[in-house]
Every structure is written in structure tokens, then in C-alpha cells.
Amino acid sequence: MSATNYISAFCRISSGKVNVNHSIMFADENEESSAAFIKSVYKHYQINYPKFYKMDKLCQLAFVTSELLLKDNKITEKYSKEDIAIVVSNSNSSLEIDTEHQKTISDKENYFPSPANFVYTLPNILIGEIAIRNLIKGENTFFIFDKFDAQFTADYVNSLLNSGKAESCIAGWVDYYEGSYDGFLYTVEKTPGVLGIEHTTEQLNNLYK
Amino acid sequence: MEELINKLKGEIIEQLNLEDVKKEDIDNDAPLFGEGLGLDSIDALELIVLLEKNYGIKVANPADGKKIFQSIRTMAQYIQDNKK
């Protein structure tokens, strides 16, 4: 029988709301654009990380979601940095910044690709940004799915913890394209933590509605 | 020269997404990298693109970058000397 792992905390940023562990911590449904909303969350929480402004929108969303997730559930202080995994998925990959990059290289007479944009033209860079910020050095993987796959994510992350490849994991779904955004990250631990929800497909589906 | 420096500051703020930085915050002689504005290696590449895109100047030898991008003033001087 496989060991039980737990969703110890979660953060969801979508539809103009920040939901941390079932509490709406910040909301601004009138914000004109998704990018402006993500910036307003960053400013509201007085997160001081100048590199935030250089990130593409997908990474900004992932970064802010991870900051609020880890703010009160400091798994980075509980576990060795090598024992924390990061597993994230989305459906639109890095298409938002890919499109911007494409615009700068499509005209041979006006060919000025931006290096700062180019470095974000892979979706797994968002994992790198979270890892750099928190000095996490554990396993990390990025998947592309049509929609959030609770069963795959639960199975994959449980396998990492049960096989001893990680003691804890930041997992979830971070998607951004054409103004539509959805950041959902949660921590998985072998002990119940703040929320104590069993890390199963059913519970994940309940959490991510 | 002062006009060029002022214009350049605006272009750098925009190109490098230096949110919350105003033109008056940038010291003409302060180092652009490390201390000062605290720019990084990707920013250096962006500055090279900026020179080419806005002023038609190609930095052929990357080793020259250290001298060119020392400060806003050295960058403006380089533009003034090399602008086509």
C-alpha cells in the first residue's frame, strides 16, 4: 500500500482573486488587464524582487503564486533544498512570449529579437524562477496538458515522495495566454501541514474547480 | 549631449522594464552594472540591441561593451561618436 501524502497548503490566482488555503486574500475584479492584476498582487504584498519586472507574464504569475503559497508555509525552511521538487503543467506553454518574440523576428528588414524575451520562450523557465528565488535544487519537471490533469499530477508527485526522490513538492498548474490566466500551486508533504488534505486525484479535483 | 543622455535614460527604462525607476534616479556617471542600476548580462544584450535598433550602431567587438556600457555618459558618448 502506498504512503499517504498531503496537500499542506495551496494558492490560486485567477479571475481577479487570490485564494490562499480557502481564504480570499486579495481581490480586484475591476482590474483592466490580467498583467495589471498580477502586478497589483505583487505590489499589494510588497514583494521586493526587482527581477519580477523583467519576467514574462507567465513567470510573473508563477512567481507571485509561489510567493503567496510559501509565505506562511515555509517548506524551504523545513526541508533540505535538494529534497524539494517542483512539478508544474499548463496548456499554453510559453505561447504568450513566443508570440511576442515571433513579432520581433518575422520582418527581415526590422529584425531585432529581444534577448530578455527570448530567455522566457520555454515554459519550464517558470520553475527556474521559483527555484532561484527559493534556492530549491530538487527534481523539477514541466508538463503540457489540455487541462489540469489531477490524476497524473497526483500520481507523479506521490511517486516522487514515495520513492524518496523528494520530501516535499511544489506542484500545480500555471497558465497564461492572451489575458487569460490561472495560477494554482500547492505544497505536498508527508505530514498534514496547514490543510491536511490527502493528495489524491479526488481531493485535487475538489480543490481545483 | 545632455539631451541625448536624457533620451537614452528613457529608452533604457523602457527597454529594460525598469519599473519604478525614473530618469532622475539614474546618475549619469554611476556604473550601469553591479551597483548603480544593477543590470545583468541579459540587460547587456538588450543594450546592444538598443544601440543597433535606435541608433544603427553595431557593437562588433563584445569586449568593447565593458567600456561603452560603463555609465549612461559613456554610452551617450559612444552613440555621439558612432551614430550613422
Side-chain angles (χ1 to χ4, degrees), chain B residues 6-23:
Chain B
N6 193 44
K7 181 170 173 260
L8 192 54
K9 283 181 181 177
E11 290 171 341
I12 288 175
I13 288 169
E14 192 192 340
Q15 186 80 16
L16 304 187
N17 291 322
L18 299 177
E19 192 108 352
D20 298 334
V21 174
K22 295 186 183 72
K23 284 182 184 179

Side-chain angles (χ1 to χ4, degrees), chain A residues 4-208:
Chain A
T4 302
N5 300 306
Y6 297 90
I7 299 167
S8 53
F10 79 91
C11 176
R12 178 99 183 257
I13 299 182
S14 65
S15 309
K17 287 182 195 148
V18 176
N19 180 347
V20 180
N21 300 333
H22 300 297
S23 296
I24 303 299
M25 309 298 281
F26 181 78
D28 188 354
E29 288 164 60
N30 298 321
E31 192 62 73
E32 281 181 10
S33 76
S34 47
F37 175 71
I38 295 163
K39 275 186 191 170
S40 69
V41 176
Y42 174 87
K43 286 183 176 168
H44 177 78
Y45 284 94
Q46 299 179 321
I47 302 166
N48 183 21
Y49 194 64
K51 203 184 167 211
F52 171 81
Y53 292 110
K54 295 179 184 291
M55 295 177 194
D56 73 327
K57 295 180 184 102
L58 177 67
C59 284
Q60 285 187 336
L61 175 61
F63 177 81
V64 171
T65 310
S66 69
E67 285 289 295
L68 301 185
L69 169 72
L70 300 175
K71 189 168 164 279
D72 298 317
N73 183 32
K74 300 187 185 304
I75 58 166
T76 50
E77 292 175 8
K78 276 168 75 177
Y79 303 98
S80 156
K81 303 291 170 74
E82 286 79 9
D83 291 331
I84 302 171
I86 307 178
V87 178
V88 183
S89 53
N90 78 6
S91 67
N92 285 298
S93 184
S94 54
L95 203 51
E96 179 82 11
I97 196 75
D98 294 350
T99 309
E100 269 187 53
H101 177 65
Q102 171 65 22
K103 284 178 194 163
T104 66
I105 60 171
S106 55
D107 180 2
K108 283 184 181 170
E109 301 302 313
N110 191 26
Y111 188 91
F112 293 108
S114 159
N117 281 354
F118 179 72
V119 294
Y120 286 105
T121 56
L122 281 173
N124 58 329
I125 302 300
L126 72 85
I127 290 180
E129 292 290 4
I130 296 170
I132 290 167
R133 167 65 159 174
N134 298 286
L135 306 176
I136 292 169
K137 296 173 184 165
E139 291 275 331
N140 67 79
T141 318
F142 196 98
F143 295 99
I144 309 281
F145 296 121
D146 284 342
K147 57 182 185 174
F148 179 59
D149 190 328
Q151 182 173 0
F152 180 91
T153 307
D155 288 350
Y156 190 86
V157 173
N158 285 337
S159 162
L160 281 179
L161 268 66
N162 295 343
S163 64
K165 290 209 162 45
E167 290 296 314
S168 173
C169 184
I170 297 167
W173 174 265
V174 181
D175 201 31
Y176 188 109
Y177 187 51
E178 292 187 328
S180 170
Y181 63 101
D182 187 6
F184 170 61
L185 291 175
Y186 62 94
T187 48
V188 187
E189 298 177 70
K190 291 177 178 176
T191 51
V194 183
L195 286 178
I197 300 169
E198 283 191 21
H199 188 233
T200 61
T201 305
E202 190 186 3
Q203 295 286 13
L204 255 185
N205 276 328
N206 283 337
L207 207 56
Y208 183 82

Side-chain angles (χ1 to χ4, degrees), chain B residues 6-61:
Chain B
N6 193 44
K7 181 170 173 260
L8 192 54
K9 283 181 181 177
E11 290 171 341
I12 288 175
I13 288 169
E14 192 192 340
Q15 186 80 16
L16 304 187
N17 291 322
L18 299 177
E19 192 108 352
D20 298 334
V21 174
K22 295 186 183 72
K23 284 182 184 179
E24 53 268 30
D25 298 334
I26 306 176
D27 186 326
N28 294 350
D29 298 299
L32 290 174
F33 294 87
E35 40 186 310
L37 279 183
L39 305 185
D40 59 23
S41 56
I42 299 295
D43 294 321
L45 295 173
E46 284 290 336
L47 292 180
I48 290 172
V49 173
L50 186 153
L51 282 184
E52 190 174 348
K53 190 176 171 183
N54 297 6
Y55 300 95
I57 300 171
K58 275 192 180 185
V59 180
N61 182 3

